[in-house]
């Protein structure tokens, strides 16, 4: 394991513990730490970049915290604990998928850019460029061709 993998596991465990503690107290902190460390370890075993791992995990836990907090704000105190947990899990999964997709696309974009630069090619543009001499601009006749 690389040192960056150990850092990823530690940060994920710490953020999981803090999020779990905010949601469910001491028991939640312990569960969050275990889940965070397990997520960090699993991604390290699959050679996922630690920066991506930490970003996705922090995004997922933040989404869970937001979902749980919204339900907690709507309900009376200590009346919707189960609903808070379910809302936290659902929003955490949604945030995990959303942040994961964005992280994958950004990483892919950076990798493609670096490959082109390493190959000595100019970086690609935004994709909206029109060549200076386009067939559409040369033929201004709009009448249909007769056979």
């Amino acid at each position: 394991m690389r040192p960056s993998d150990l850092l990823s596991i530690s940060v994920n465990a710490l953020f999981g513990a803090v999020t779990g503690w905010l949601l469910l107290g001491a028991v939640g902190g312990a569960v969050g730490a275990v889940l965070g460390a397990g997520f960090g370890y699993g991604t390290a075993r699959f050679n996922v970049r630690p920066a991506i791992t930490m970003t996705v995990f922090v995004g997922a836990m933040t989404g869970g915290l937001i979902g749980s907090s919204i339900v907690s704000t709507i309900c009376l105190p200590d009346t919707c604990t189960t609903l808070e947990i379910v809302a936290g899990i659902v929003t955490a999964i949604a945030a995990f998928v959303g942040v994961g997709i964005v992280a994958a696309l950004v990483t892919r974009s950076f990798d493609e850019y670096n490959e082109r630069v390493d190959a000595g090619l100019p970086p690609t543009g935004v994709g909206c460029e029109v060549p200076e001499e386009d067939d559409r601009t040369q033929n201004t006749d709009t009448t249909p061709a007769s056979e």
Side-chain angles (χ1 to χ4, degrees):
M1 249 188 219
R2 301 171 295 196
S4 58
D5 292 335
L6 296 176
L7 177 66
S8 174
I9 293 169
S10 301
V11 169
N12 285 337
L14 176 66
F15 198 78
V18 169
T19 305
W21 177 74
L22 288 173
L23 291 174
L24 300 171
V27 173
V31 170
V34 170
L35 287 176
F39 180 75
Y41 179 75
T43 55
R45 298 290 294 164
F46 287 108
N47 292 327
V48 177
R49 294 178 185 169
I52 301 301
T53 301
M54 290 185 283
T55 302
V56 172
F57 187 75
V58 168
M61 291 297 101
T62 304
L65 187 60
I66 290 170
S68 176
S69 297
I70 289 172
V71 172
S72 175
T73 303
I74 294 171
C75 292
L76 294 173
D78 298 327
T79 58
C80 299
T81 305
T82 305
L83 191 56
E84 286 179 39
I85 294 170
V86 170
I89 290 171
V90 169
T91 54
I93 291 171
F96 178 80
V97 170
V99 173
I101 289 172
V102 171
L105 292 174
V106 168
T107 302
R108 181 177 173 188
S109 175
F110 281 139
D111 288 344
E112 289 174 1
Y113 174 84
N114 289 331
E115 286 174 7
R116 289 189 61 86
V117 169
D118 290 343
L121 300 171
T124 57
V126 294
C128 296
E129 295 85 13
V130 178
E132 288 185 26
E133 290 195 30
D134 193 0
D135 291 336
R136 292 175 286 168
T137 59
Q138 291 177 359
N139 185 7
T140 57
D141 186 17
T142 58
T143 58
S146 60
E147 294 181 30

